[in-house]
Amino acid sequence: MRAALYQMTAGPDPAKNAADLALAVSEAAAGGADILLTPEVSNCLGAPRALQRELLHPEETDPTLAAVQSAARDAGIWVLLGSLALQSGSVDGRFANRSILLDATGTIRARYDKIHMFDVALSDTETYTESAAYRPGDRAVVAKTPFATFGLSICYDLRFPHLYRRLAKAGANVLTVPSAFARVTGAAHWHTLLRARAIETGCFVVAPAQVGTHGESGSGPRQTYGHSLVVSPWGEVIVDAGSACGITFVDLDLADVGHSRTRVPSLGHDRVFDGPEQA
């Protein structure tokens, strides 16, 4: 499988982001990729929540989705839109943070809504309350393609290893982690967590990321870490895109999944246990 990871600096202008994504689809296809993977919230990042309500659309009418569907169809390439921020129709007005897998005709083949919400206080001046604007999903998703079986996740999901174990046991051999990781947590945890998820599951981990400064959030300019990564099933970093925008290509041999799982077959070693007891 030849994959292309698009590292981008999405801003609060969905039209510009959509044009950048469509161009990336064409470039990925020209480079021989089977699939292009984009980061979390590829359509709109850095807009205040009040402005998001004006800018965002339901999936059915989202212009970014429509532009990428058209580009995928023209280029004949699969695309994983790492996620789009979408109007969800929720009664409380919260949005959906949704990963969407498109086939080479632009048809939607899978959807996944981010389960774990990024509600953290990294410092006195940098806080995030994702659950105030986005409603969490409640369903894990595995998607089969002609070249791999993907286990879908988004960003903060990365800190919840039980999700990835279930995806691997359900047949995933490639785990996708499109992200907009904060700079502070990215520098401290990004590489370690991605390598751990690969080692624990014997899967490839593919993590396209946002990078740079994205406009204003509730606590100042939104800054993301970058370093889109691909990690082998043995935990080796194959690709690190650093801090530059652009497309990175990588060729994956899915036979490596079987080799790693044969060497350490931990997916088959679960045991039922009680406790923990309170001593």
Side-chain angles (χ1 to χ4, degrees):
M1 180 181 85
R2 186 166 175 82
L5 283 71
Y6 182 36
Q7 184 158 285
M8 67 186 297
T9 307
D13 181 354
K16 181 182 184 306
N17 298 329
D20 291 343
L21 289 164
L23 180 60
V25 172
S26 298
E27 292 180 357
D34 298 298
I35 185 168
L36 172 71
L37 301 99
T38 79
E40 182 182 24
V41 285
S42 292
N43 62 328
C44 185
L45 183 58
R49 286 172 184 165
L51 181 58
Q52 281 183 302
R53 292 188 179 91
E54 299 177 17
L55 294 174
L56 300 185
H57 297 261
E59 179 186 298
E60 295 76 14
T61 59
D62 183 71
T64 302
L65 175 58
V68 175
Q69 286 180 295
S70 178
R73 183 167 53 251
D74 291 344
I77 185 175
W78 287 64
V79 178
L80 179 75
L81 278 163
S83 83
L84 299 177
L86 298 168
Q87 295 279 1
S88 69
S90 174
V91 293
D92 59 13
R94 289 187 293 173
F95 311 123
N97 190 344
R98 180 169 298 159
S99 193
I100 297 177
L101 179 65
L102 306 174
D103 68 16
T105 70
T107 301
I108 296 175
R109 298 293 292 269
R111 300 171 176 85
Y112 165 74
D113 285 1
K114 184 177 182 180
I115 292 173
H116 301 97
M117 297 289 98
F118 190 52
D119 293 351
V120 303
L122 300 180
S123 69
D124 291 341
T125 59
E126 188 175 6
T127 63
Y128 301 91
T129 312
E130 188 176 19
S131 63
Y134 293 87
R135 57 163 181 75
D138 58 7
R139 181 174 59 94
V141 176
V142 167
K144 292 184 178 180
T145 74
F147 33 83
T149 300
F150 293 104
L152 306 185
S153 71
I154 300 172
C155 202
Y156 191 54
D157 286 332
L158 182 58
R159 295 182 181 272
F160 301 87
H162 54 281
L163 170 62
Y164 297 90
R165 191 169 187 84
R166 287 182 63 176
L167 292 171
K169 282 177 168 278
N173 51 23
V174 176
L175 302 172
T176 59
V177 194
S179 296
F181 240 65
R183 284 188 180 174
V184 171
T185 55
H189 302 148
W190 176 245
H191 289 71
T192 300
L193 288 170
L194 289 168
R195 292 187 66 207
R197 298 298 85 84
I199 292 165
E200 292 162 353
T201 62
C203 289
F204 281 100
V205 173
V206 181
Q210 296 277 2
V211 66
T213 302
H214 308 270
E216 295 290 327
S217 68
S219 54
R222 178 74 180 269
Q223 296 183 324
T224 55
Y225 180 63
H227 292 273
S228 297
L229 287 192
V230 178
V231 185
S232 79
W234 198 245
E236 301 159 321
V237 174
I238 302 170
V239 163
D240 183 334
S243 57
C245 291
I247 294 177
T248 301
F249 293 92
V250 59
D251 294 307
L252 306 181
D253 183 352
L254 276 298
D256 290 348
V257 173
H259 296 157
S260 295
R261 291 179 179 178
T262 298
R263 294 172 74 183
V264 182
S266 60
L267 284 178
H269 289 168
D270 295 273
R271 289 182 57 82
V272 176
F273 56 88
D274 296 325
E277 297 179 357
Q278 299 296 322

